[in-house]
Amino acid sequence: MKKDLLSIADLSKDEILHLFELSDYLKNLLKRGRFYHPLRDKTLGMLFRKPSTRTRLSFEVGMYQLGGCAIFLSSQDLQLGRGETIEDTGKIFSRYIDAIMIRTFDQKEVVKMAESTSIPVINGLTDLLHPCQALSDYYTLWKRKIDLETIKFVYVGDGNNVCNSLLLGAAQLRVNMVVSNPEGYDANPEIMERAKKISNGKIVVQRDPLKAVEEADIVYTDVWTSMGKESEKKVRKKIFQPYQINEKLLKRAKKDVLVMHCLPAHRGEEITSEVMDGSQSIVFEQAENRLHLQKAILVELLS
Ligand code: CP
Ligand code: NVA
């Protein structure tokens, strides 16, 4: 039976750890200049309804490095933009290509695509989830030999897609996670409930960002206004101001705290340039690891 990657909730702890091991193997091969082409003659279709820099590049380069190829498909240029259904589109894709990566608004669209096609579907971000990002982020910490079960991981900002996937990952990997966001900008309630239940007390909400980051090992943030929410930008900029990751806030965390951001960042809003370019920031390492982790996903689903 074909496998999809629609949410971290579909993966067990062992499956996630296996992906980390495989990412490491692939990363080391690449660093040693060794060719490895298990996906020769395989094609990935990349369907985008939203913009992207990292996701598009890392999937495209990843397929190339694995011996296959990737095709960029903008929804505006497809018949999808003129009313062809996602189900029919999925059926057509399965006649030409071997897997689909999709970035869209509604999570239901990704599910529909997965149900209507016989080839693996990978979620490249929806309004609800961003599984490839969260997996790459936990891989980044694992790779640094950080004990995921003992750290205090604090997410400060909007309870958005990235936050939801980090929560699902934290639950599976037994990470102590604190989420700090203003009221009304919470993580998805079902996801929060599920994550809390699985984690057995290791996930909490602390609205006050100053209290939340006390003794934090990791402070993670993301944009205050996600793609599709642009009309709320002005209001959000005001409400989220106390949640900015700056030097003052970081003083409350552990001395060797690491700062994470999925990028793109809006410097001067959710994170200051001082922090983003500072010695504690690992944001570009996270971005690089998208490539290695997603290559592992591709090998798992396609070979
Ligand atoms: N983090 C991330 O998904 O970046 P892009 O929007 O550039 O793909
Ligand atoms: N939360 C952000 C993530 C971008 C990678 C968004 O959805 O726009």
Side-chain angles (χ1 to χ4, degrees):
M1 212 176 84
K2 67 140 178 165
K3 282 189 284 180
D4 303 301
L5 180 63
L6 308 188
S7 164
I8 294 184
D10 304 334
L11 299 173
S12 67
K13 182 178 180 184
D14 284 349
E15 284 170 324
I16 296 174
L17 293 176
H18 171 70
L19 279 177
F20 292 173
E21 300 277 359
L22 186 53
S23 309
D24 232 30
Y25 173 73
L26 296 168
K27 186 170 183 171
N28 289 335
L29 278 185
L30 186 70
K31 302 277 169 198
R32 296 205 320 264
R34 297 270 297 277
F35 296 119
Y36 180 57
H37 291 160
L39 303 188
R40 216 174 16 243
D41 299 329
K42 302 273 187 198
T43 305
L44 174 75
M46 306 187 298
L47 173 56
F48 284 90
R49 280 199 196 266
K50 290 176 176 174
S52 167
T53 298
R54 280 143 288 265
T55 305
R56 178 178 174 182
L57 266 170
S58 51
F59 270 107
E60 192 159 339
V61 171
M63 277 305 285
Y64 174 75
Q65 289 177 356
L66 292 167
C69 74
I71 303 175
F72 173 72
L73 302 156
S74 159
S75 59
Q76 280 164 340
D77 302 331
L78 297 179
Q79 295 292 5
L80 201 54
R82 295 182 59 250
E84 188 166 24
T85 67
I86 195 79
E87 291 93 336
D88 289 347
T89 306
K91 287 194 182 92
I92 297 305
F93 280 3
S94 63
R95 300 285 168 145
Y96 303 129
I97 59 182
D98 302 289
I100 304 167
M101 190 283 297
I102 169 166
R103 166 168 287 196
T104 188
F105 293 87
D106 194 344
Q107 176 74 13
K108 285 193 200 113
E109 190 170 76
V110 180
V111 175
K112 259 191 212 166
M113 175 70 96
E115 284 169 357
S116 58
T117 181
S118 56
I119 56 178
V121 175
I122 302 168
N123 182 350
L125 179 148
T126 62
D127 290 347
L128 186 69
L129 298 171
H130 197 357
C132 297
Q133 181 68 53
L135 287 169
S136 307
D137 296 335
Y138 286 122
Y139 166 62
T140 300
L141 299 178
W142 177 90
K143 172 94 188 132
R144 283 176 159 253
K145 305 214 181 323
I146 290 169
D147 181 2
L148 293 173
E149 297 200 16
T150 58
I151 50 165
K152 179 176 175 188
F153 182 102
V154 185
Y155 178 92
V156 181
D158 188 20
N160 60 18
N161 42 13
V162 172
C163 178
N164 290 332
S165 284
L166 287 169
L167 275 167
L168 290 169
Q172 301 296 63
L173 295 166
R174 313 286 180 264
V175 178
N176 297 292
M177 182 167 171
V178 180
V179 179
S180 187
N181 58 273
E183 229 171 316
Y185 297 90
D186 295 336
N188 176 276
E190 281 117 60
I191 289 177
M192 179 59 91
E193 201 180 316
R194 181 196 166 102
K196 276 185 169 169
K197 209 165 149 190
I198 298 173
S199 84
N200 206 6
K202 292 189 98 178
I203 292 174
V204 293
V205 174
Q206 168 54 260
R207 297 242 178 255
D208 182 346
L210 293 170
K211 283 190 187 143
V213 301
E214 291 280 355
E215 290 299 302
D217 296 282
I218 311 292
V219 173
Y220 194 119
T221 193
D222 183 17
V223 290
W224 293 337
T225 305
S226 285
M227 291 178 278
K229 299 247 185 273
E230 286 78 6
S231 64
E232 301 172 24
K233 193 172 164 71
K234 225 170 136 190
V235 177
R236 284 173 171 262
K237 217 172 150 180
K238 220 165 149 189
I239 290 174
F240 279 98
Q241 205 55 57
Y243 294 82
Q244 184 188 64
I245 307 302
N246 51 39
E247 299 256 284
K248 195 172 147 218
L249 188 81
L250 279 190
K251 282 217 168 78
R252 304 233 166 191
K254 281 195 180 150
K255 257 205 165 79
D256 56 352
V257 63
L258 295 176
V259 176
M260 302 180 80
H261 192 310
C262 61
L263 305 182
H266 289 152
R267 289 167 180 258
E269 291 188 19
E270 76 277 2
I271 190 165
T272 59
S273 275
E274 222 176 357
V275 170
M276 186 154 145
D277 299 328
S279 59
Q280 286 156 313
S281 164
I282 55 168
V283 301
F284 296 107
E285 193 177 315
Q286 286 173 257
E288 182 196 320
N289 284 332
R290 291 288 302 277
L291 171 69
H292 310 300
L293 191 282
Q294 287 163 195
K295 280 169 75 181
I297 293 173
L298 291 165
V299 169
E300 272 300 292
L301 298 185
L302 272 165
S303 61

